[in-house]
Amino acid sequence: MIHSNIIIVIAIPKRGKPDPPKDVRIHIIGNRAKISWKIPTNLNKNKGTHSRIYINNSIGGDIILDSGRNYKDILISKPTSFAIDTLKMCSEYNIRIRFLSPDSEYTSKKFWMTSNTVNADTNNDVALAWTTGFSGFFDVFTPLLNTIYIVQSSINPNSPSTKYKYDNSTTDFQNINITIINVNETDAGLYITKDDNKHVDGCCLLVVTAKPMKPTLTLSAKHSFVGDTITFKCHSMVQRWPAGYMASNLSYQFNGNHRGVNVNNRLTIHTLTMSDKGKDISCQATDDLHKVSIKSDAVTLDPYYGPDNVMLKPGHKNLNVTKGNTLGPINCTAKCNPKCLFKWRLNRTETFEDVLSSETLVVTNIKENQTGIYSCLVVHPLNRTRLQRTNISVNVQYSPKIESLWLSDKNKTYRSRGPRTYSFSEGNHLTITLHIKSNPDPQIVINSSLLKFQNFFIPNSLIISQQNYLLLNVKNSGNFTIHASNGIAYGDNRTVKLVIRCKPRDVKTERQIGAKVNHDVNIVVDVISFPAPNATWLRMTEFVWTVQKTNTITDTR
């Protein structure tokens, strides 16, 4: 004889209620049924909660269990159980259990009062045997109450059958021996002997079994990354009939697992590594009759990672490029699974600008305002919080451009917008102020016909101011050319014409001039003056003389 172990399908609890009783088992030994169940973890055992149990027969009426009541309240303990020996053998019953205060949903389960249980695999033949106390007229019935044969002083088949085999010629009617051919799930249930008065005496419970169902294997994390801990969950169901006549538990085995921790139906792998990529994990289930399911579909480990090893090729940190040329190509690389997303951004004095979404940075005909820090941002497509960046500083160089020029002395200030003539007085200091846009900083050369000097500027952003002081002298009159250059082609020029005004000075002539009577005398006077002075000749002689011609020379050399 095989004692039956029955577990139930647990009802889904309503919100706010404790879970119903779990792992209900029914053990039948002789005419005694022992019922046990487990208490869920979300039930507070310190409040004196009770379990309430009902048992009804196949007709549906609840039987009396305790002092005239059709239920039994049992104080929760560990484990919780209830035994009864007043149930009729070879009868069908249904048990209902719930918790009180707070109330849970019911857990219910059908069972049969017999310890004569036979297990059989599907598609196999199985022999059933039991005894009956009937000696007269009785029938042998299938679980569907179809007659297999009738006993009336001999065995009379109900109809010709290839499903059941038995000895027609035996006279030992009280020992029932039947072989069922090619068993399937519809053959499962309680086989009984019943007389004409509807009394049952003797039975055998046939439990038809098959391998546990093909398991399903699920992964706890939808997207697992290198370094994560992941858990596989294997789920299968026992295939056993009558429906719900299940084993108390299943055990699970995981295939392809070399370093995980297997607890019940879960496999946990700690700290995924790149070397786990490509490993196939599957599982199988084994029931209490040692029947092993086929393997589940395999899950191939493919841990995500990245972005790692973000770098630029070429690996410059700083790069100079001339205006109008092409920046790049600069390739941004990273190790990612799956492929990461790339975005280039330009940071210009705390102003960010998206440049392009690509691994390779190329900027054609680069402009001076595209100087700044180019940042390659690498983002994992399945987890945007996983990102890395690397930067390159780009300096766009261009030839100088003289934006503006101011000329001033202590009296006036002029701004030069193009070639023109400027007039200043001798003796003052002339201030030349330049605003030059240039990268790198320029060298300034000032040229005139009589003067040449140079100044080198201290680096100062893109706008450069420089003052040059000249002590004005009338000899410096003429064209001044300012040339700015920084090594990049062309540079820039600005030309202005200076006119230096001065009072007449340094008047010179010959101190003694010989002359003949009745002849003209030429007297030449040298003078420095701009503009040319008016000359007045004064006679300091005792004779009368006439100035025929005035000749004034202004020497600005």
Side-chain angles (χ1 to χ4, degrees), residues 344-355 369-375 389 391:
W344 282 94
R345 305 187 73 191
L346 171 59
N347 178 6
R348 296 184 300 183
T349 317
E350 299 183 356
T351 299
F352 292 90
E353 173 187 341
D354 290 338
V355 178
N369 64 355
Q370 291 175 304
T371 286
I373 297 175
Y374 286 78
S375 177
R389 71 179 73 237
N391 300 330

Side-chain angles (χ1 to χ4, degrees), residues 21 50-52 96-100 103-107:
H50 287 72
S51 299
R52 176 165 290 182
R96 307 188 313 278
I97 308 174
R98 70 168 180 168
F99 296 119
L100 304 176
D103 295 348
S104 72
E105 298 291 337
Y106 282 101
T107 293

Side-chain angles (χ1 to χ4, degrees), residues 3 28 30 104 152 169 176 185 208 215 217 222 472 506 508 528 552:
H3 298 162
I28 298 173
S104 72
Q152 294 176 335
S169 62
I176 312 299
E185 60 267 26
V208 178
L217 185 62
K222 184 177 180 180
L472 296 179
D506 294 343
K508 296 179 181 179
I528 295 176
T552 303

Side-chain angles (χ1 to χ4, degrees), residues 398-402 434 436-447 452-459 464 466 468 481-488 490-494:
Y398 46 89
S399 62
K401 175 68 175 176
I402 300 176
L434 302 172
I436 301 174
K437 194 172 182 182
S438 175
N439 186 21
D441 298 307
Q443 172 185 336
I444 307 301
V445 178
I446 301 177
N447 294 291
K452 181 177 180 180
F453 63 92
Q454 297 180 352
N455 277 315
F456 291 88
F457 288 98
I458 300 173
I464 300 175
Q466 181 68 22
N468 297 275
T481 299
I482 301 170
H483 179 69
S485 62
N486 61 3
I488 297 176
Y490 307 120
D492 197 11
N493 297 293
R494 182 69 62 85

Side-chain angles (χ1 to χ4, degrees), residues 27-41:
H27 301 271
I28 298 173
I29 304 175
N31 64 348
R32 185 180 180 86
K34 182 179 179 181
I35 305 163
S36 62
W37 57 96
K38 291 182 179 180
I39 300 168
T41 57

